[in-house]
Amino acid sequence: MPKVKTRKSVSKRFKVTKTGKVMHGHQYGSHKKLHKSKRRQRRQKEPAVMTGAFAKKIKLMLGVA
Protein backbone atom coordinates (compact mmCIF):
# COMPACT_ATOMS: atom_id res chain seq x y z
CA MET A 1 0.00 0.00 0.00
CA PRO A 2 1.49 3.40 -0.96
CA LYS A 3 1.98 6.26 1.46
CA VAL A 4 -0.78 8.87 1.77
CA LYS A 5 0.42 12.31 0.74
CA THR A 6 -0.57 15.30 2.84
CA ARG A 7 -2.53 18.06 1.12
CA LYS A 8 -0.17 20.97 1.72
CA SER A 9 -2.82 23.66 1.28
CA VAL A 10 -4.89 22.00 4.01
CA SER A 11 -1.92 21.62 6.35
CA LYS A 12 -1.31 25.37 6.20
CA ARG A 13 -4.92 26.23 7.09
CA PHE A 14 -5.87 23.60 9.68
CA LYS A 15 -4.21 22.06 12.73
CA VAL A 16 -5.18 18.90 14.62
CA THR A 17 -4.82 18.93 18.40
CA LYS A 18 -3.63 15.99 20.51
CA THR A 19 -7.22 15.12 21.35
CA GLY A 20 -8.14 15.05 17.66
CA LYS A 21 -9.99 18.37 17.32
CA VAL A 22 -9.55 20.29 14.07
CA MET A 23 -8.69 23.96 14.62
CA HIS A 24 -8.96 26.70 12.00
CA GLY A 25 -8.58 30.45 11.78
CA HIS A 26 -11.47 32.81 11.17
CA GLN A 27 -12.09 34.22 7.73
CA TYR A 28 -12.08 37.95 6.87
CA GLY A 29 -9.80 38.70 9.82
CA SER A 30 -7.41 41.14 8.18
CA HIS A 31 -9.68 42.86 5.69
CA LYS A 32 -11.59 46.14 6.26
CA LYS A 33 -10.89 46.32 9.97
CA LEU A 34 -12.35 49.81 10.40
CA HIS A 35 -15.83 48.52 9.61
CA LYS A 36 -15.69 45.73 12.21
CA SER A 37 -16.31 46.17 15.92
CA LYS A 38 -13.41 45.70 18.33
CA ARG A 39 -15.19 42.73 19.87
CA ARG A 40 -15.46 41.05 16.47
CA GLN A 41 -11.80 41.73 15.73
CA ARG A 42 -10.74 40.18 19.05
CA ARG A 43 -12.83 37.09 18.46
CA GLN A 44 -11.43 36.60 14.97
CA LYS A 45 -7.89 36.35 16.38
CA GLU A 46 -8.75 33.18 18.31
CA PRO A 47 -8.74 29.83 16.49
CA ALA A 48 -12.06 27.99 16.26
CA VAL A 49 -12.94 24.30 16.52
CA MET A 50 -14.36 22.58 13.45
CA THR A 51 -16.90 19.82 14.02
CA GLY A 52 -18.95 17.43 11.96
CA ALA A 53 -18.35 15.68 8.67
CA PHE A 54 -16.12 18.44 7.29
CA ALA A 55 -13.63 17.93 10.13
CA LYS A 56 -13.49 14.26 9.20
CA LYS A 57 -12.64 15.17 5.59
CA ILE A 58 -9.92 17.54 6.76
CA LYS A 59 -8.35 14.76 8.88
CA LEU A 60 -8.32 12.47 5.85
CA MET A 61 -6.58 15.14 3.77
CA LEU A 62 -3.99 15.60 6.51
CA GLY A 63 -3.41 11.86 6.84
CA VAL A 64 -4.39 11.81 10.51
CA ALA A 65 -7.45 9.53 10.45
Side-chain angles (χ1 to χ4, degrees), residues 44-59:
Q44 283 186 330
K45 288 179 191 174
E46 298 294 322
V49 179
M50 182 174 290
T51 58
F54 197 64
K56 204 171 192 179
K57 286 183 181 181
I58 295 297
K59 284 184 184 179

Side-chain angles (χ1 to χ4, degrees), residues 10-58:
V10 175
S11 67
K12 292 171 189 174
R13 290 172 173 86
F14 301 96
K15 302 291 177 219
V16 180
T17 62
K18 284 187 177 182
T19 57
K21 294 177 186 175
V22 179
M23 306 297 286
H24 67 92
H26 288 276
Q27 58 187 1
Y28 309 119
S30 61
H31 184 66
K32 288 191 175 178
K33 288 198 170 191
L34 291 175
H35 297 282
K36 296 181 179 83
S37 67
K38 299 299 174 190
R39 179 184 179 190
R40 184 173 167 192
Q41 288 182 30
R42 279 195 307 273
R43 288 188 173 194
Q44 283 186 330
K45 288 179 191 174
E46 298 294 322
V49 179
M50 182 174 290
T51 58
F54 197 64
K56 204 171 192 179
K57 286 183 181 181
I58 295 297

Side-chain angles (χ1 to χ4, degrees), residues 1-7 60-63:
M1 186 114 186
K3 290 184 180 178
V4 178
K5 287 192 174 181
T6 303
R7 303 277 181 105
L60 283 173
M61 289 184 209
L62 290 173

